[in-house]
Amino acid sequence: QVQVVESGGGSVEAGGSLRLSCKVSVVSDYNYCTFDMSWYRQVLGDERDEREFVSGTDKDDRKSYSDSVRGRFTISQDNAKSTSDLLMSNLKPEDTAMYYCKAIPRYGGAWYCPPRGSDYWGKGTPVTISS
């Protein structure tokens, strides 16, 4: 009923830039629901590695960043389109990872949103930075 799809990953050299995009699609029952959207990353090929928070936007449009990306990454969210973009600049080899988008309904439990406590993940988009 809620689908999260990331795009924009790829391979670039250190110092380069990439823009990741995330789109949340919902069934008609949830058309009026808005979501807090955030980005996480996980070391490529290591399922045991915990997903690390990268950046997110909350219901007051406050943006947060991890210390490792602050000043280099910029997040933007379009609530009307249910999309989130992550502009990544001055990329470093240590930014290499699978990047995931996470969506949480802002008013979970309301008639127009999924149940409270729901969260939805995309399948990820890979980013590889070469030195």
Side-chain angles (χ1 to χ4, degrees), residues 25-117:
S25 300
V26 300
V27 296
S28 58
D29 290 353
Y30 301 146
N31 276 344
Y32 296 105
C33 192
T34 53
F35 295 81
D36 287 344
M37 299 174 72
S38 54
W39 290 88
Y40 288 73
R41 65 187 182 186
Q42 184 176 36
V43 173
L44 285 173
D46 189 351
E47 294 297 325
R48 299 170 301 173
D49 185 48
E50 186 175 339
R51 294 181 184 181
E52 170 196 16
F53 173 79
V54 176
S55 181
T57 305
D58 69 13
K59 63 180 177 61
D60 296 318
D61 202 32
R62 289 176 298 199
K63 302 172 185 357
S64 57
Y65 299 92
S66 68
D67 290 342
S68 60
V69 308
R70 186 176 293 109
R72 300 187 297 120
F73 290 12
T74 303
I75 192 171
S76 59
Q77 181 166 328
D78 186 328
N79 293 320
K81 297 181 180 179
S82 294
T83 59
S84 173
D85 285 355
L86 186 67
L87 175 60
M88 308 186 297
S89 302
N90 191 20
L91 284 161
K92 304 176 180 179
E94 51 263 42
D95 294 318
T96 295
M98 184 70 81
Y99 283 73
Y100 297 91
C101 180
K102 177 182 177 181
I104 298 176
R106 288 180 170 171
Y107 303 100
W111 64 267
Y112 52 87
C113 274
R116 186 186 304 274

Side-chain angles (χ1 to χ4, degrees), residues 108-124:
W111 64 267
Y112 52 87
C113 274
R116 186 186 304 274
S118 302
D119 62 14
Y120 304 91
W121 293 84
K123 295 182 178 180

